[in-house]
Amino acid sequence: MIIAANFKTNKTRSETGQYLEEVETCITENGITDDVLVFPSATALQRHGGAVVMGAQNVYPVENGAFTGEIGLDQINEFDIKTVLIGHSERRHIFGESQESIAEKFDFFKAQGFTIVYCIGEPLEIREEGSEALMSYLDDQLEGIDVHYEKLIIAYEPVWAIGTGLTPDESDIGLIHGALRQKIDKPLLYGGSVKVGNAQEILAIDNVDGALIGSGALKAEDFCQIIAYAKAIK
Ligand code: PGA
């Protein structure tokens, strides 16, 4: 399984360091062999030699240049970071990233051989239109994306479930992941209000290969518990 924590705009550099220490201890003590990914904020990126794979939440698809406020490839290469999150709904909806710019970002990091955790997910009004509208919306979010890229991981995260405490019914997650599996032969993570209290059930659903977790992973202890659940399910 693949268990990933997305810190978003939370945690300082020192808090991130402390968190990583706790997670490394938990991985060692529990003999975890699952993939554990952590996406800290840009100011907390660091070289990390442990079992946890560190990824960047967002990188502008350039080596360097005049792009005020952005970080580029040179800045993450400094820390040997080879994993990036692309297409997160907060990037799409709050920062207005278009499918075209997301696909460009994807191509850039694919060419660099990065592991890409690529996020898709529908807003509530689309879900209410029914499963055909939902799947067609997800298809649009895959436009221009090479779903055969060997280092691709997909995260299905319904927008209305992110940070809200709401999750789809387990049967709905199963259906959507099953439909995605028909098209994409890559690990499929579920994201959106995963926490200690529901992780066991969600990770046990067919075609769920892991989870991308925001608020529910902010405490190292909780993240470790979820990692331990993933280990038990395998
Ligand atoms: P959440 O966020 O776990 O806080 O809902 C998940 C995500 O946005 O990746």
Side-chain angles (χ1 to χ4, degrees):
M1 289 231 160
I2 301 169
I3 307 296
N6 174 11
F7 288 177
K8 309 189 179 183
T9 317
N10 295 293
K11 293 199 190 292
T12 61
R13 187 173 188 81
S14 67
E15 287 164 349
T16 300
Q18 171 71 30
Y19 182 99
L20 289 169
E21 260 181 49
E22 284 178 49
V23 174
E24 288 294 348
T25 305
C26 146
I27 289 176
T28 310
E29 283 178 354
N30 295 292
I32 304 291
T33 53
D34 301 79
D35 293 329
V36 177
L37 274 53
V38 171
F39 294 90
S41 65
T43 60
L45 292 175
Q46 49 201 278
R47 192 179 294 273
H48 182 73
V52 172
V53 172
M54 173 102 57
Q57 290 177 22
N58 180 43
V59 187
Y60 199 63
V62 290
E63 284 175 21
N64 53 52
F67 304 99
T68 301
E70 297 290 329
I71 58 169
L73 188 63
D74 286 354
Q75 281 81 37
I76 57 170
N77 274 347
E78 183 180 15
F79 305 120
D80 275 340
I81 287 169
K82 282 296 209 182
T83 303
V84 66
L85 204 59
I86 296 181
H88 190 279
S89 77
E90 284 149 16
R91 299 295 322 166
R92 292 179 190 267
H93 299 293
I94 302 176
F95 300 104
E97 286 190 13
S98 65
Q99 186 57 32
E100 199 185 350
S101 66
I102 288 168
E104 268 171 36
K105 207 180 261 193
F106 183 97
D107 282 347
F108 181 89
F109 287 100
K110 176 187 156 192
Q112 297 292 334
F114 273 57
T115 297
I116 297 175
V117 178
Y118 185 77
C119 306
I120 56 176
E122 81 292 351
L124 191 56
E125 63 270 22
I126 300 293
R127 165 153 299 232
E128 285 168 348
E129 283 176 32
S131 58
E132 209 172 300
L134 194 163
M135 290 315 294
S136 134
Y137 189 90
L138 299 184
D139 271 348
D140 289 347
Q141 292 187 319
L142 291 164
E143 202 181 304
I145 304 302
D146 174 9
V147 296
H148 304 293
Y149 175 49
E150 56 165 330
K151 293 186 185 165
L152 170 64
I153 298 167
I154 297 283
Y156 168 62
E157 304 199 296
V159 178
W160 54 274
I162 294 180
T164 58
L166 303 170
T167 52
D169 293 341
E170 284 166 32
S171 58
D172 281 351
I173 297 176
L175 283 173
I176 293 162
H177 276 239
L180 288 170
R181 174 69 77 225
Q182 302 298 311
K183 309 171 202 266
I184 311 173
D185 187 19
K186 297 290 164 188
L188 299 175
L189 313 187
Y190 169 79
S193 294
V194 176
K195 49 182 187 275
V196 169
N198 61 16
Q200 244 172 328
E201 291 75 25
I202 290 174
L203 292 171
I205 299 170
D206 275 356
N207 295 310
V208 171
D209 305 311
L212 177 58
I213 313 157
S215 42
L218 287 176
K219 283 194 194 136
E221 191 189 331
D222 291 348
F223 190 48
C224 288
Q225 181 63 64
I226 297 173
I227 295 168
Y229 288 150
K231 181 191 178 192
I233 282 161
K234 234 183 345 191

